[in-house]
Amino acid sequence: MSAEENIDVSIHNRLHPPMDPVPPDRSLADCPHPEGRSDDIPGKDLRQAEVFLKGEISGHKGIFAEGRPETPGYNFAYLDEQTKRMLRRAILKAVAVPGCQVPFGGREMPMPYGWGTGGIQVSAAIMGKNDVLKVIDQGSDDTTNAVSIRSFFRRVAGIPVTTSTGEATIIQTRHRIPEHPLREGQIIVYQVPVPEPLRWMEPSEKETRTMHALEEYGVMHVKLYEDIARHGEIATSYDYPVMVGGRYVMSPSPLPKFDNPKMHQSPALQLFGAGREKRVYAVPPYTDVRSLDFEDYPFSVQHWDKPCGICGSTDTYLDEIITDDKGTRLYVCSDTDHCAARLASRKDKRGGPDD
Amino acid sequence: MTEPAAVGFAIPSASPFAGIRDAKAPPPADRPSPNQGLLYVEGVGKYYGDRIGCKDVSFDLWPGEVLAIVGESGSGKSTLLNLVCGRMVPTSGKVRYRESSGDLFDVHKLPEASRRRLLRTEWGYVHQNPRDGLRMRVSAGGNIGERLMACGSRHYGNIRKTGVSWLDRVEIDADRIDDVPVSYSGGMQQRLQIARNLVSAPRLVFMDEPTGGLDVSVQARLLDLIRTLVREMGLSVVLVTHDLAVARLLAHRLMVMRRGEVVESGLADQVLDDPRHEYTQLLVSSVLQG
């Protein structure tokens, strides 16, 4: 065994000493591991399961679940048609004026505010029978929120769901843009907690609307100035303000600034839904998205000294996971699907699904 | 001794240059000149329903001039200030301001965008309570830099350098640049507010009781500072105060208001030393005794 293989495999083995056989429900995307385990990390099941599936990068296709008959008593995709129309009108306006916050008549959803009510309403409004849905929460396909929303739409819309970024047509996300580049025709729906980027500086809604209308964005730089004055660098690491299409300053929701460059000239349509504040906004495909910065403190993204502990990736966004009581740390890709795909391609090259 | 004959600088009408100014150009009265007024307030009035806020006030303000509006509380001073700076729309009358380009325009007919731009570039507004004029959770440097950033400055090093130099000018230690105004004393907050307003080198500053709520020794220091800055920068100031001592120290001209009306106006020393109106006499005698 080479040294490189040694590192990967040893970490992998330490986490899951006996490699499980594929459980019979492995193909169900909305099924987390049946019993919780002390060594559970986000995406663990997915990372294991991927190895045995076929797909575009390597034989990797993600976990896929066929649609199932819609639950009777619900309209397609839960919302009634009039509500969806209202939402689509708001979305069209948002697409027409990139980065501008458009109010909509938010509905009560069967979940609390802060869990993605805005994103779910936008997804429901744009969803068709032929769509394939992927839901991620902090990059992971198998955390509670992602699993719940996926199973919700599978039940009320009967559409197939997947974990593969490449296969999905609608990707609802909280906190991350997938590492796998998006393509034309895909729509990424963000769940947004605080849509107003000026809110931290200016508490008055009337005033912030005026500031947007008159393009008075100097105060955004005051926030960045404060960062540099206090921390010696722009310490804002998520929800980093961006200028969309050279006109509107927009909050990219709690996206890590690592993902900001991916929004720039993205071929996919990006929709943002804030359920509590009842606002949608959008970045149409191929739109300029610039992160604000200073001439002498240019925008930069996070980087890590270590590669991903599972797939060895050095160019992805890593989560830090504390694995025991002694403070041992493991850095793994936050995008579980991407991590699994890389792992699968490595194993394919080695010529076997398992070591 | 007879006066020397005026040396003829004027271009005689027969001069070849006489016809150059075409008919479409604005009348010469609107061209910039050192002798031309900065602010013309004409018959401005404001009614709150039936009650009078202020009534038929007119004055002109000239470059470098400090005008104090004095009167007891409720006499319409602050209403007048808000009308003049465009925060409030008058019921009658108009306010005209001459921009640095020399154009004269009606403050209340300006589009909102231009008025707000004016308020953060050529104008300043010093609130009585520094909490209204400062961002209390933003460091002193950020407070001073805000106008610069609003005007498009995007170089952190330069903004900070300007911040340090302005702190120095308003006599605050440079090492307090990263402290938030909540941690400042009242007098320092007020001086910071002044720095924040003057950083864009405004031409006209409105001050609403700048020394209100400060103790006497701090007041004296602040007045001294304001006087120095006004002289150095050639500022025009409209100052609202109920304190005649402040008016005497800072103002060139004085307007005394009562129940929304101007009862007396004139040179500050003249009005204070030789008050004509009975109300002014009362004011002067009640304050300047001893």
Side-chain angles (χ1 to χ4, degrees), chain A residues 98-99 242-250 282-284 287-290:
Chain A
V242 292
M243 170 72 84
V244 178
R247 173 61 181 82
Y248 280 97
V249 164
M250 182 188 92
V283 178
T287 304
D288 281 348
V289 178
R290 303 277 180 206

Side-chain angles (χ1 to χ4, degrees), chain A residues 221-229 294, chain B residues 139 141-142 149 156 160:
Chain A
H221 276 85
V222 175
K223 187 163 179 269
L224 301 181
Y225 173 96
E226 285 297 286
D227 264 8
I228 304 174
F294 284 104
Chain B
S139 72
M149 291 181 246
Y156 175 81
R160 199 169 171 79

Side-chain angles (χ1 to χ4, degrees), chain A residues 140-309:
Chain A
S140 171
D141 284 280
D142 59 359
T143 50
T144 316
N145 211 4
V147 170
S148 307
I149 293 175
R150 210 155 51 209
S151 93
F152 172 77
F153 277 121
R154 206 166 147 246
R155 182 175 300 164
V156 297
I159 59 164
V161 293
T162 182
T163 62
S164 160
T165 307
E167 280 189 347
T169 57
I170 298 174
I171 302 167
Q172 184 174 329
T173 175
R174 170 171 175 257
H175 282 123
R176 284 306 313 280
I177 297 177
E179 307 286 359
H180 184 74
L182 301 179
R183 57 175 160 75
E184 278 183 21
Q186 282 182 318
I187 302 176
I188 181 162
V189 178
Y190 299 80
Q191 305 168 194
V192 180
V194 182
E196 179 52 74
L198 302 164
R199 181 64 68 237
W200 304 115
M201 299 303 291
E202 180 52 63
S204 152
E205 173 70 19
K206 180 169 177 278
E207 181 66 14
T208 51
R209 283 196 203 185
T210 313
M211 289 159 86
H212 278 297
L214 302 179
E215 237 181 314
E216 288 179 3
Y217 291 132
V219 77
M220 263 350 281
H221 276 85
V222 175
K223 187 163 179 269
L224 301 181
Y225 173 96
E226 285 297 286
D227 264 8
I228 304 174
R230 281 183 198 169
H231 307 288
E233 57 174 1
I234 299 179
T236 303
S237 57
Y238 65 97
D239 204 0
Y240 193 104
V242 292
M243 170 72 84
V244 178
R247 173 61 181 82
Y248 280 97
V249 164
M250 182 188 92
S251 155
S253 86
L255 212 61
K257 65 178 175 183
F258 182 86
D259 287 340
N260 272 17
K262 292 183 199 160
M263 306 175 78
H264 177 61
Q265 290 288 334
S266 167
L269 170 63
Q270 308 176 62
L271 301 176
F272 299 76
R276 189 189 288 114
E277 315 239 358
K278 300 174 177 50
R279 295 277 188 282
V280 288
Y281 49 103
V283 178
Y286 302 109
T287 304
D288 281 348
V289 178
R290 303 277 180 206
S291 305
L292 303 180
D293 59 0
F294 284 104
E295 287 159 16
D296 44 349
Y297 284 85
F299 173 78
S300 64
V301 298
Q302 298 101 324
H303 60 272
W304 289 262
D305 300 332
K306 292 182 177 171
C308 167

